[in-house]
Amino acid sequence: MRSSANFASLAAASVFLCASHAAAQTSEAPAHLGPRPFYLLDRLDDGALKEAMIKCESGPFFKTDFSIAHRGAPLQFPEHTEQSYRAAARMGAGIIECDVTFTKDRELVCRHSQCDLHTTTNILTKPDIAANCSTPFTPADPAAGKQAEAKCCTSDITLSQFRQLSGKMESANKNATTPEEYLGGNPGWRTDLYAGDGRLMTFSDSIELFRELGVKMTPELKSPQVAMPFDGDFTQQQYAQKIINALKAANVRPGDVFVQSFSPADIDYWIENEPEFGAQAVYLEGRLRGGLDPEDPSTWSPSMEDLAAKGYRYIAPPLWVLVKTGDNGKPVPSAYAKAAKDAGLNIIAWTLERSGPLSGGGGWYYQSVGDITKNDGAALVLLDVLAREVGVVGVFSDWPATTTFYANCMGL
């Protein structure tokens, strides 16, 4: 366990490094963090971490690859919209994510799921387009105990129809009796303040925008929710290749891209067929559904060593897989985290700022440390352990200002 003296020395060095880094980047616009990171700092328990971060709260702060924008900035902006991406870049995200899926005419677009248009866009209020949905809107029937339902997929509509939609905060009112009511349901800890007219993005749109913003990109190949080959002749491998083709057509440097997938078959395909892009492919931890236990290596199949031997260089599990509650009553690295590091894998964690208020233990993302998660300041405690003790190279966040603040403050 590090001593307070060692922590203070390292923090002082980090502040110096941060200041030196900032001075060297006078041509780069500073990041704008807003009040939230400092709200979290105010709620952080007193101690060495709080003291270290208070010393650098005046900034300046700059873009950092440690800060990875998860779907943009969806804590307050509609995910995968131009507005959300621009907000993430302003908050200093050095890498921004476009989750990639495809339309009926096989055009690549940015959506978290192939079939989430009914919860993330206004499609249900566009009758001519909504008529194509896999499951049309059905109103709730309280007397029968039936909730409202709908299912609208990108593969239900064409690119032209997709471009007529607007993004909204991810939500659904299951008690709705009209399509307009169904668009509600946004959790109270989020906001609809910026949800008026979110511009949806194609993958090509995102490439162009990210280049304008001067950020790297991490497109995720989303698992299809339709049978593949789609329409009988669009295979999974063609889908995986189509992402790379779009990047090449835009002359994007492979070193500026971290393609992602939960499917080992996709990672294997990129490593074998597109090695320049495959070298930075990120394996999103796909063994969770098999009952992965972060403390039991027998549940990690293939093993960390096997993944590294296949050419995997990056692995990305959820936050809770990387930590557990230690004997000191603080988060400590899990056996999984230690094994991944020992195998030489670069670790990326997901997703900070997605859990709402943390006073109740933090929910799914904090499940392995829920017993010690008592207030919103716990996000910074977890972030510190991930960076210093687990050794992650980046963290996805729904509000990149938080990760940008920490990374700049600690000289990452």
Side-chain angles (χ1 to χ4, degrees):
M1 180 177 176
R2 59 180 180 269
S3 68
S4 297
N6 288 339
F7 190 106
S9 298
L10 183 54
S14 296
V15 171
F16 172 77
L17 286 170
C18 184
S20 300
H21 176 65
Q25 297 194 55
T26 54
S27 62
E28 181 177 324
H32 299 281
L33 303 188
R36 180 160 178 79
F38 310 103
Y39 165 87
L40 298 178
L41 180 58
D42 289 344
R43 279 149 185 78
L44 182 61
D45 292 339
D46 291 340
L49 176 60
K50 187 168 187 175
E51 292 174 6
M53 298 194 74
I54 286 174
K55 291 178 181 179
C56 60
E57 63 180 335
S58 61
F61 305 102
F62 291 89
K63 176 179 65 181
T64 167
D65 289 354
F66 182 84
S67 183
I68 306 173
H70 180 244
R71 314 186 203 176
L75 180 62
Q76 295 193 35
F77 289 82
E79 63 185 47
H80 293 308
T81 60
E82 178 183 358
Q83 292 84 350
S84 191
Y85 291 153
R86 288 190 181 277
R90 290 187 179 106
M91 287 186 272
I95 305 172
I96 301 181
E97 177 186 50
C98 164
D99 290 323
V100 183
T101 186
F102 57 86
T103 61
K104 185 176 183 178
D105 44 356
R106 306 179 187 183
E107 296 296 331
L108 300 181
V109 295
C110 300
R111 288 289 90 199
H112 175 66
S113 168
Q114 188 169 37
C115 296
D116 72 0
L117 294 180
H118 53 290
T119 59
T120 63
T121 77
N122 63 344
I123 188 171
L124 294 180
T125 65
K126 303 276 189 179
D128 291 347
I129 303 177
N132 299 284
C133 290
S134 295
T135 303
F137 172 74
T138 303
D141 184 350
K146 184 179 179 181
Q147 293 186 324
E149 61 178 351
K151 180 181 178 182
C152 303
C153 308
T154 58
S155 52
D156 291 335
I157 63 175
T158 65
L159 177 60
S160 175
Q161 292 170 320
F162 178 84
R163 287 199 179 278
Q164 297 175 52
L165 306 179
S166 294
K168 72 175 192 69
M169 297 298 285
E170 180 189 21
S171 61
N173 177 4
K174 296 294 186 178
N175 296 317
T177 57
T178 67
E180 289 75 15
E181 288 180 351
Y182 191 86
L183 301 188
N186 196 25
W189 47 269
R190 288 181 175 164
T191 179
D192 285 313
L193 190 61
Y194 309 111
D197 58 351
R199 181 194 166 210
L200 302 190
M201 306 289 285
T202 68
F203 182 42
S204 293
D205 290 338
S206 76
I207 293 173
E208 181 179 349
L209 177 62
F210 296 163
R211 176 175 285 149
E212 173 197 329
L213 297 173
V215 299
K216 297 177 183 177
M217 53 198 77
T218 182
E220 179 189 339
L221 189 73
K222 298 305 296 187
S223 300
Q225 295 189 29
V226 293
M228 298 293 276
F230 178 63
D231 278 350
D233 62 351
F234 184 50
T235 68
Q236 183 68 25
Q237 290 188 340
Q238 288 174 324
Y239 177 30
Q241 185 64 47
K242 196 173 179 71
I243 282 186
I244 305 300
N245 291 347
L247 294 165
K248 287 180 173 180
N251 295 315
V252 178
R253 292 192 321 112
D256 289 339
V257 183
F258 299 83
V259 289
Q260 316 170 67
S261 178
F262 280 97
S263 170
D266 295 334
I267 306 297
D268 295 343
Y269 176 85
W270 287 322
I271 290 173
E272 180 178 352
N273 295 281
E274 294 289 351
E276 287 189 299
F277 289 93
Q280 290 193 162
V282 180
Y283 173 48
L284 297 165
E285 180 53 78
R287 296 170 290 185
L288 295 172
R289 293 179 181 176
L292 182 148
D293 179 347
E295 296 303 313
D296 183 359
S298 69
T299 65
W300 319 334
S301 181
S303 69
M304 300 296 185
E305 293 78 9
D306 289 341
L307 292 176
K310 291 174 64 177
Y312 288 39
R313 294 177 59 189
Y314 290 85
I315 191 166
L319 303 173
W320 67 269
V321 170
L322 294 170
V323 292
K324 63 179 181 179
T325 299
D327 294 337
N328 59 355
K330 305 290 185 181
V332 297
S334 65
Y336 175 106
K338 295 175 182 177
K341 189 173 182 179
D342 289 345
L345 296 172
N346 295 297
I347 306 170
I348 298 172
W350 50 271
T351 302
L352 203 71
E353 296 280 44
R354 192 159 182 81
S355 304
L358 301 181
S359 58
W364 190 83
Y365 286 96
Y366 287 78
Q367 60 185 277
S368 61
V369 290
D371 57 326
I372 55 172
T373 301
K374 305 298 183 182
N375 60 52
D376 290 344
L380 294 177
V381 174
L382 178 56
L383 193 54
D384 185 57
V385 172
L386 290 172
R388 292 183 180 277
E389 299 183 30
V390 174
V392 300
V393 297
V395 177
F396 280 94
S397 178
D398 274 15
W399 199 245
T402 303
T403 39
T404 299
F405 173 49
Y406 177 86
N408 274 261
C409 196
M410 296 302 173
L412 300 182

